[in-house]
């Protein structure tokens, strides 16, 4: 049992709890679809569905890794520690916390920028990341507002 209390296993468990809290909070706003029209809680529902699917695969791999721990200890081999999952959960938590305060147009570019910093091996390209963050946010806003015709509440703009 102790082998499952490792960070590799506990991170997907924490992400699962975070996704549950996230979708429950999002569903307080409205139903995901009303009269065949996606509402503001539709995108969080999609994030939840895809997040849970990804999390199941992460958990499966983490349990497999924990089960192989005995063999690795015998060989003296150790996998380097990655804090990227922690940083992603932290960035997502900050995004959700600040979303109602600052709105979509201010928080989304910072979230996209944080993801680029976390997953890119070339952090020296900061101006390019800022530009891409702004472009991605603009595309998402245009898709929501004009394509899906979902009006953000005034505080989110």
């Amino acid at each position: 049992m102790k082998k499952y209390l490792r960070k590799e296993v506990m991170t997907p468990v924490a992400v699962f709890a975070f996704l549950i809290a996230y979708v429950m909070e999002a569903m307080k706003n409205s139903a995901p679809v009303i009269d065949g029209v996606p509402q503001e809680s539709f995108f969080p529902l999609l994030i939840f569905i895809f997040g849970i699917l990804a999390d199941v695969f992460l958990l499966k791999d983490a349990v497999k890794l924990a089960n192989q721990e005995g063999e690795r200890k015998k060989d003296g081999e150790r996998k380097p520690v990655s804090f990227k999952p922690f940083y992603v959960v932290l960035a997502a938590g900050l995004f959700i916390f600040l979303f109602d305060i600052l709105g979509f147009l201010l928080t989304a570019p910072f979230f996209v920028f944080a993801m680029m910093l976390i997953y890119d091996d070339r952090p020296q390209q900061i101006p390019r990341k800022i530009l891409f963050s702004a472009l991605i946010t603009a595309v998402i806003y245009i898709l929501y507002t004009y394509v899906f015709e979902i009006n953000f509440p005034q505080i989110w703009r």
Side-chain angles (χ1 to χ4, degrees):
M1 182 64 181
K2 199 175 194 181
K3 64 184 176 183
Y4 297 117
L5 296 177
R6 300 163 36 117
K7 134 183 115 51
E8 291 88 358
V9 176
M10 295 313 293
T11 299
V13 171
V15 169
F16 179 76
F18 175 79
L19 286 169
I20 294 289
Y22 172 64
V23 79
M24 287 174 58
E25 188 65 29
M27 292 301 130
K28 288 180 184 177
N29 293 330
S30 71
V33 178
I34 297 175
D35 296 328
V37 177
Q39 302 299 309
E40 58 264 356
S41 62
F42 181 73
F43 187 64
L45 182 64
L46 288 179
I47 289 174
F48 173 75
I49 291 168
F50 290 118
I52 290 295
L53 291 174
D55 198 48
V56 166
F57 287 109
L58 286 174
L59 185 60
K60 180 184 78 82
D61 290 343
V63 168
K64 187 176 175 183
L65 180 70
N67 288 332
Q68 295 171 349
E69 178 64 24
E71 293 176 25
R72 284 203 334 234
K73 280 188 176 179
K74 290 177 187 173
D75 297 338
E77 167 183 336
R78 193 80 177 150
K79 185 179 177 184
V81 176
S82 171
F83 289 100
K84 287 182 181 181
F86 171 75
Y87 295 144
V88 169
V89 171
L90 180 66
L94 284 172
F95 171 72
I96 292 168
F97 175 73
L98 294 173
F99 191 83
D100 278 340
I101 299 167
L102 300 175
F104 177 81
L105 292 177
L106 293 177
T107 55
F110 290 112
F111 180 72
V112 174
F113 180 73
M115 293 301 108
M116 287 181 184
L117 283 180
I118 292 168
Y119 286 106
D120 192 5
D121 296 331
R122 298 176 305 258
Q124 68 275 12
Q125 298 178 347
I126 300 296
R128 188 177 192 176
K129 287 177 178 46
I130 292 171
L131 177 64
F132 282 140
S133 298
L135 288 173
I136 289 169
T137 301
V139 167
I140 290 171
Y141 184 79
I142 290 168
L143 277 174
Y144 255 75
T145 306
Y146 299 107
V147 176
F148 297 134
E149 296 180 357
I150 297 173
N151 293 321
F152 288 110
Q154 190 62 35
I155 193 168
W156 289 5
R157 295 179 192 194

